[in-house]
């Protein structure tokens, strides 16, 4: 049985429960980070934890644990579950910080914040993903817009995500495989739901400026790879026209790294195939983390077919 960490106590995974009256459930009033491993080593742990601490500070959730305590708890939990992962290549971890039950329920419940860390096989998250590394994913620019940062700060990784869910459902009505692309009020592309967006035009990598999108850890890693390998990049406003006229497009997200995007609104991007810059960045990522994550995902999917 896998173990979880909850406010300093180890519990069986089956005990990872949450109150019906929790502010996170009722209002999306919680912050979180989701991480993955490469070769059993967690990717950008400190960057994720720094962003989590920023989110906690901004939302005013009175967390009793600091950066170093959460870092230690995260590592200890992985060690406590080592035996469970002997047969698995990689794992996924989830850190959630909720404000706890609402004060109106203080007569029956303690209203203290709840910090939970869980760990489980990464292959659960990436089931069926490997084919998109070869074919690319379709995308749909949805009518559901991104929430402007003046209404809800999008630099915070939080669970108030109804707009994201509505965009996902809208995209899948057009194509079950499609990921949504959201725009801001000015008609500029911001991001997908849980992923950042890039295009390639004349050998230049372009991504939306971090005005109305989450400053993704994987997004930053792509820009780092670009600098290290002499690739030109820019952060600028991207309209739907720019994306449709691009030679390549791709998404970035921690669990799946780089996901090629080969069509938008049914129109092929470039030649409608995975482009050379996307392929090069994927290879550079694999070199940097010493893990062939595309092949790894393919092997998991083959095992699932058996």
């Amino acid at each position: 049985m896998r173990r979880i960490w909850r406010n300093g106590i180890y519990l069986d995974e089956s005990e990872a429960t949450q109150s019906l009256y929790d502010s996170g459930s009722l209002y999306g009033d919680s912050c979180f980070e989701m991480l993955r491993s490469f070769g059993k080593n967690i990717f950008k742990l400190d960057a994720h934890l720094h962003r989590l601490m920023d989110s906690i500070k901004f939302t005013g959730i009175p967390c009793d644990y600091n950066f170093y305590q959460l870092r230690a708890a995260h590592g200890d939990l992985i060690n406590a579950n080592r035996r469970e992962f002997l047969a698995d290549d990689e794992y996924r971890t989830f850190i959630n910080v909720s404000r706890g039950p609402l004060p109106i329920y203080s007569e029956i419940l303690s209203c203290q914040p709840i910090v939970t860390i869980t760990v489980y096989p990464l292959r659960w998250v990436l089931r069926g993903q490997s084919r998109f590394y070869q074919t690319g994913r379709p995308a749909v620019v949805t009518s559901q817009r991104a929430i402007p940062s003046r209404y809800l700060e999008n630099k915070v990784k939080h669970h108030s995500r109804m707009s994201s869910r509505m965009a996902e459902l809208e995209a899948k009505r057009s194509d079950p495989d499609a990921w949504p692309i959201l725009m801001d009020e000015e008609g500029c592309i911001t991001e997908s739901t849980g992923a950042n967006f890039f295009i390639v035009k004349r050998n230049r990598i372009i991504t939306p400026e971090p005005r109305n999108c989450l400053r993704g850890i994987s997004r930053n890693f792509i820009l780092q790879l670009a600098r290290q390998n002499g690739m030109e990049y820019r952060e600028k406003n991207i309209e739907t026209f720019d994306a449709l006229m691009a030679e390549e497009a791709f998404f970035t997200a921690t669990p799946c790294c780089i996901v090629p995007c080969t069509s938008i609104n049914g129109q092929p991007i470039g030649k409608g195939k995975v482009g050379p810059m996307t392929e090069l960045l994927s290879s550079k990522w694999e070199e940097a983390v010493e893990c062939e994550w595309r092949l790894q995902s393919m092997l998991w999917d083959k095992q699932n077919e058996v």
Side-chain angles (χ1 to χ4, degrees):
M1 172 67 72
R2 280 182 300 274
R3 306 281 282 169
I4 66 111
W5 185 95
R6 179 185 171 98
N7 282 11
I9 300 173
Y10 289 95
L11 301 168
D12 287 341
E13 190 176 61
S14 61
E15 298 181 77
T17 57
Q18 186 170 343
S19 169
L20 292 172
Y21 307 113
D22 190 87
S23 184
S25 296
L26 297 174
Y27 292 136
D29 182 19
S30 59
C31 304
F32 72 101
E33 288 291 332
M34 301 187 79
L35 306 89
R36 68 157 287 169
S37 66
F38 293 105
K40 300 290 178 71
N41 295 313
I42 291 293
F43 178 66
K44 299 289 184 181
L45 172 60
D46 286 1
H48 280 280
L49 286 176
H50 280 303
R51 186 171 64 181
L52 178 64
M53 300 311 295
D54 287 345
S55 296
I56 292 170
K57 181 177 181 180
F58 184 87
T59 55
I61 296 176
C63 179
D64 290 335
Y65 302 95
N66 62 31
F67 172 93
Y68 299 102
Q69 290 170 318
L70 289 179
R71 195 180 198 281
H74 182 273
D76 290 344
L77 181 65
I78 290 174
N79 289 330
N81 285 284
R82 285 289 182 191
R83 182 171 295 180
E84 293 290 335
F85 290 104
L86 290 178
D88 277 287
D89 296 289
E90 308 290 359
Y91 35 76
R92 182 87 153 118
T93 60
F94 174 53
I95 309 173
N96 192 69
V97 182
S98 168
R99 207 179 300 270
L102 294 173
I104 60 173
Y105 302 112
S106 60
E107 291 288 329
I108 56 173
L109 294 167
S110 169
C111 294
Q112 67 174 354
I114 299 169
V115 184
T116 307
I117 308 176
T118 61
V119 55
Y120 48 90
L122 178 65
R123 56 184 166 84
W124 290 2
V125 180
L126 296 183
R127 185 183 296 270
Q129 170 60 40
S130 63
R131 64 190 175 100
F132 297 114
Y133 292 133
Q134 305 298 320
T135 65
R137 269 194 184 273
V140 173
V141 178
T142 61
S143 61
Q144 173 64 55
R145 298 295 178 101
I147 303 299
S149 59
R150 66 177 179 273
Y151 298 132
L152 183 62
E153 180 54 61
N154 48 39
K155 310 304 183 293
V156 173
K157 198 168 178 75
H158 54 76
H159 276 298
S160 299
R161 295 193 162 209
M162 180 59 79
S163 60
S164 295
R165 185 59 178 145
M166 295 304 292
E168 291 172 353
L169 294 172
E170 180 181 341
K172 291 188 182 303
R173 284 195 291 271
S174 298
D175 186 329
D177 292 331
W179 277 3
I181 294 176
L182 286 78
M183 295 189 297
D184 61 21
E185 291 179 310
E186 285 72 44
C188 295
I189 289 174
T190 59
E191 58 190 346
S192 183
T193 54
N196 288 109
F197 181 69
F198 290 76
I199 62 172
V200 178
K201 185 74 171 180
R202 299 187 184 92
N203 291 320
R204 175 186 290 167
I205 303 163
I206 305 171
T207 193
E209 59 186 47
R211 180 169 48 88
N212 281 328
C213 68
L214 185 71
R215 294 166 182 169
I217 305 300
S218 296
R219 176 188 184 275
N220 291 342
F221 189 55
I222 287 293
L223 301 183
Q224 175 186 327
L225 288 175
R227 289 191 296 271
Q228 291 173 345
N229 291 278
M231 302 173 184
E232 187 179 356
Y233 71 87
R234 286 190 65 187
E235 298 172 272
K236 58 173 289 188
N237 287 334
I238 301 174
E239 297 179 351
T240 303
F241 176 85
D242 302 316
L244 291 174
M245 295 301 105
E247 292 142 18
E248 303 177 40
F250 59 89
F251 299 101
T252 60
T254 293
C256 45
C257 307
I258 296 175
V259 179
C261 173
T262 47
S263 71
I264 297 176
N265 295 349
Q267 181 171 326
I269 302 302
K271 296 180 180 179
K273 299 179 180 180
V274 179
M277 186 70 78
T278 305
E279 173 65 31
L280 178 59
L281 284 167
S282 298
S283 296
K284 291 297 183 182
W285 188 318
E286 291 180 335
E287 290 176 13
V289 298
E290 299 181 341
C291 176
E292 296 183 11
W293 40 262
R294 289 173 293 179
L295 175 61
Q296 189 179 64
S297 180
M298 181 187 71
L299 293 175
W300 286 337
D301 283 342
K302 284 187 175 180
Q303 290 170 3
N304 292 330
E305 292 171 0
V306 176

